[in-house]
Amino acid sequence: MAYMHIGKDFVPPDVNGKVTGRIKYAEDYTREGMVYARLLTSPIPHARVVNIDATEALAMDGVFGLLTADDVYPDGEPQSTGLKVLTNEPTLVGEPILALAAIDEKTAETAISKISVTFERLPFVLDPLDSLAEGGPDAYNGGNTYVFRQGFATEKWSADQVASFRAGNEPTAEPQQTFAYGDLDAALASSAFVYESAFTTAGYPHQSMEPRSAMAYWENGKLYLHGTSQSLSALADGMASIVGVPQEDFVFINEATGGGFGQRARANSIPSMAIPAKMSQKINRPVMMRVTRDEETAIGGARQGFQGWIKCGFKADGTMAAADLYIISDNGGKGGGGDAYSAADCISILYQTEAVRFRGTSIGSNTGHRGAQRGPGQNQIAAIIAPILDKAAQELGIDRLKIREINTPTNGDVGGAQRTPFTSAYMPEALKMGAEQFNLAERITRSRQRNGSKVTGIGIGQGYHNAGRSGMDGIVRLTADGRLKVHNGVGNLGTYSYASTSRAAAEVLQMPWEHVDVVTGRTDRHLPITSPQDGSNSIFTNTRTNYGAAQDLLAKMKEITAMELGGDASDYDFGDERVFKSADKSVGMSFAQIAQKGIELGGKFTGESDLPEELNDFTKISVTRLAGESLMGIYHDAPHNNNPPGFTVTFTEIEMDVETGKYDIIDMVTIGDCGTVVHPQGLKNQLVGGAVWGIGLAGYERHLYDPQNGLPASTGYWQSKIPTMMDTPSKIRTGWVDLPDPENPVGARGIGEPAMGAVAASLASAISDSLDGHLFNSAPVTADMIINHVAGVTSDAIPLAQNNFRG
Amino acid sequence: MNLNLTRRRFIKGVIASGAAATTTGVWVAANGASRPAGAVERMIRININGQVRTVDVAPQETLASTLRYKLGLTGTKLGCNRGECGACTVLVDDVSTYACSVLTHSVKNGRVETVEGLEAADGTLHPVQQAFVEELSPQCGYCTPGQIMAAVGLLRENPSPTREEARMGLSGNICRCGSYDSYLDGVMRAAQIG
């Protein structure tokens, strides 16, 4: 289909600001009379605050006030996991206990040094299996796990059960969570090759570039909060509740966000922004709270680590007949995340496994706050499963590409725990395209070839994430001067989807992009409830809403023209920013004229009546405030049932130096299946960005804590080992299938998460290949693990250890 | 990135001022109103983006703090404030420098260039900025000013780098979005634009 905007590159409105430094992040703002808040955070991993004596600090010149958990939660802290704004019950090092505001940061720091906090030390635990073992410490005050809607609970295994699991055996204890389909026993019995092993994947911090600084002030009863987020409307919806201000009186300002990766999508993942808001309310001054890198590392979120066991069965023809998983997922100090369930779901979808059983239990540790991180669950397991697939191919004498083709999802398939049909799936096409661009047939002949200390490894990986929500709203407006305003609450994280999804509205109306304004950046510009820019969701979800709103606008435009010029709306067509009679193009009205007439008519044309009944409350407020000033298109996207998948395939060649355990990535080709391509440059950026994240997951990133005191050893970029330019190839080749999804009006689906999973899988596969097919059953596979393996050294690390040096 | 040079300058500067520097306390020190006895004079003139600016600088104040909080040049970002990420990269006498890790007093006789100084008066973007727009190099954009200044420094020294040389030249700048490939595309395009 020939589109005017879809599939074409454009210059997003904010790029100029990014290259000139003019675009503002939260910390770049200032306000007359602004004072500074600093945090006192927990120095120990698990404690209870017994007393806070701030007498001396509050008596200092230039100190304006103190905020504690008692101020934020006068009725007591919520007894649940999840970050609190401030807490008297810290369960990780770095958790904010109190904030103090002063004339400048030095005064605030000096005052904080004069505050005496008495902590009652509580037992702490860093490794979930240590907590699971009978008699082991519990990370939380109410137990070592949290059951949704039920509260804290305690899960304990016998010492023998934990030891058996650490030794690589199938866990025997009852899990918290399970799903299953198919006849697992029969599937395993039908398998010609069965692989069984324990495995582990590391947790690690998000480390967004922009620390979660925030600035707040109150003016005429309204709260204005400059913050950082992956969404505007979705975050504002929740943050107003956390602060305790009516939605109508809350303005969230967020022009740009310096990274989020899952931990800035909604208010409950970034409650610290409420600190300057509450402090400002208390001391009646604008308050800036700058967050340091250490603080960001502590409360900025982390991926869940896995301690797992997997058993996979393959039939003689290569079909994956069975997958049986038991995963202990690390809930960290504040809990959260359904990564383990998603991991099993992902295997079911990516490999169309005939029988799957998932068993999982989440256990806390007094380590970083856990929550969604790019492809939560799907991407950890991608790095574990790919080498197993290679092993099966080797054992069954099947080509490594072929075994993936045999099991690949395609149109008409179902997948996952709920056996949900795909909206569309073009993974076979992606595999074919990638293999051709990578020239796999020739390259595979170099597999395991040795040249001195260098060995070539070839890897193939696949990634998946569900990529599309529904139930969101769209608002577009045509102003009296004929310009189209697309209101978008998605947030500006760097994917440019706030702009690219707005182009769906321009597409409907066939309007030149120069005549379109994307309205975003602050909620008092009146935004609809929009999907946050998370979980690869925004392209599918927000093209649907913007497209629908533009269609509503177009219908109203035709109706107005028919009212003015006679006939029925169906008698009219449109083009070149005019609506005209289909039978006589010369009879018509310009978009500007129609907008002017619509404003004159009011009522349903300007949002003053006849709103869609299902419209979200947040959107209703926005529409009400916009009503009367322009011709409006308003749309509520009804729920859809099928699963819009994001799929990615990656091929990688590495050169492994077996003397150092280091490797160079010689070539990498990564192909996306995300329906119709909306914005090629944006898609390319998601593919290469996901690749860097995948390289980090497979090879580098992990949490480390001091086992004696529970102190974090990785508190910044360097120790977290996030990939630098030198860890990644200087060129990553990208491509896309570009076939439309039928359940999206422009054919689009998301891609951000699987772009990472496929690369992690591909690199893990290549590393294994370069080492004669050795399976580490671990992510990351670090250089020391590689040279220990090559040297035949048995690691003395504790098997399946989490959050610690693993050897 | 001449990291050793900037770290050394920073440490020497701290010793000279008698101030204590910690990784978490730099903002605190930088914004302090107090003055150690016998410290260097506070009012200095410094050449920023071709203009001589007079500014009150505490002895232990970092260049990043002066730029952001005294001069309002917030294009220079702070990602880590401890010389790990490069978001604060500026040019000092054409050398790319972590502004978080150099004391303002130590560069008062030098020429400091920030991202705000690249654009021409008529709004024409610097070739690196223009190339970064055309290649859509930034994602979240937080590291972009630092990447741009590192690229400008590289291209002044080596106007026609190979992609590998460009990779080395920008290796001191982290991009958590992982946009390295697109940044390198931008540098190579900028080299062509000249």
Side-chain angles (χ1 to χ4, degrees), chain A residues 137 157 173 200 230 240 291 301 327 334 366 370 512 536 579 627 723 741 766:
Chain A
W157 293 3
T200 183
Q230 293 171 233
V291 168
I327 298 175
K334 286 295 162 189
N366 297 105
R370 308 304 167 116
S536 303
V579 174
D741 186 284

Side-chain angles (χ1 to χ4, degrees), chain A residues 18-19 22 25 27-28 106 109 206 293-294 496 681 684-685 693 701 715 723 728 730-732, chain B residues 28 34 68-69 77 79 82 84 119 129 134 136 138-141 163 167 176-177 180-182 185:
Chain A
K18 285 177 176 173
V19 300
R22 275 198 289 270
Y25 300 79
E27 204 214 299
D28 298 336
K106 180 177 182 182
E109 279 285 333
H206 290 62
R293 179 52 44 188
D294 277 12
Y496 302 104
Q681 282 186 322
K684 179 251 182 176
N685 273 354
W693 274 76
E701 298 187 58
T715 59
T728 60
S730 67
K731 188 67 205 165
I732 298 168
Chain B
V28 176
S34 65
R68 287 184 57 79
Y69 308 134
K77 302 300 180 196
R82 58 194 191 199
E84 289 185 352
E119 196 178 7
Q129 293 173 313
E134 290 172 10
L136 198 65
Q139 290 192 35
C140 82
R163 195 174 177 91
R167 184 182 177 218
R176 185 52 160 161
C177 297
Y180 298 132
D181 191 280
S182 299
D185 287 349

Side-chain angles (χ1 to χ4, degrees), chain A residues 161-215:
Chain A
Q161 284 177 310
V162 171
S164 173
F165 181 29
R166 285 202 192 273
N169 300 311
E170 178 182 358
T172 54
E174 198 63 30
Q176 280 180 339
Q177 191 179 26
T178 183
F179 80 76
Y181 67 83
D183 187 335
L184 190 72
D185 291 337
L188 286 168
S190 71
S191 297
F193 171 71
V194 175
Y195 182 81
E196 174 185 344
S197 176
F199 68 91
T200 183
T201 68
Y204 56 87
H206 290 62
Q207 295 292 25
S208 298
M209 291 295 289
E210 179 198 11
R212 52 191 60 204
S213 301
M215 191 267 279

Side-chain angles (χ1 to χ4, degrees), chain A residues 7-166:
Chain A
K8 295 186 170 58
D9 284 325
F10 64 105
V11 178
D14 61 316
V15 178
N16 193 281
K18 285 177 176 173
V19 300
T20 58
R22 275 198 289 270
I23 200 165
K24 285 188 181 295
Y25 300 79
E27 204 214 299
D28 298 336
Y29 288 92
T30 185
R31 193 80 186 168
E32 181 70 26
M34 187 171 87
V35 300
Y36 299 86
R38 292 289 298 133
L39 296 172
L40 187 153
T41 62
S42 176
I44 42 183
H46 191 192
R48 183 178 288 116
V49 174
V50 176
N51 185 54
I52 296 173
D53 182 355
T55 312
E56 192 179 350
L58 290 172
M60 283 178 58
D61 286 344
V63 170
F64 295 112
L66 186 75
L67 194 74
T68 68
D70 294 339
D71 297 313
V72 178
Y73 305 109
D75 300 326
E77 291 181 38
Q79 289 305 299
S80 63
T81 57
L83 278 171
K84 310 295 187 297
V85 178
L86 295 165
T87 186
N88 286 325
E89 299 176 353
T91 49
L92 60 92
V93 172
E95 195 169 0
I97 304 296
L98 61 83
L100 181 141
I103 190 73
D104 57 40
E105 287 179 310
K106 180 177 182 182
T107 305
E109 279 285 333
T110 305
I112 281 176
S113 73
K114 296 180 186 304
I115 295 175
S116 172
V117 179
T118 307
F119 291 100
E120 175 192 353
R121 283 180 180 270
L122 297 171
F124 71 92
V125 64
L126 300 179
D127 186 321
L129 288 187
D130 289 343
S131 178
L132 202 48
E134 210 154 48
D138 293 339
Y140 313 133
N141 293 345
N144 64 356
T145 187
Y146 185 81
V147 181
F148 186 58
R149 289 183 177 146
Q150 294 180 37
F152 289 106
T154 303
E155 293 278 350
K156 293 294 173 186
W157 293 3
S158 72
D160 286 346
Q161 284 177 310
V162 171
S164 173
F165 181 29
R166 285 202 192 273

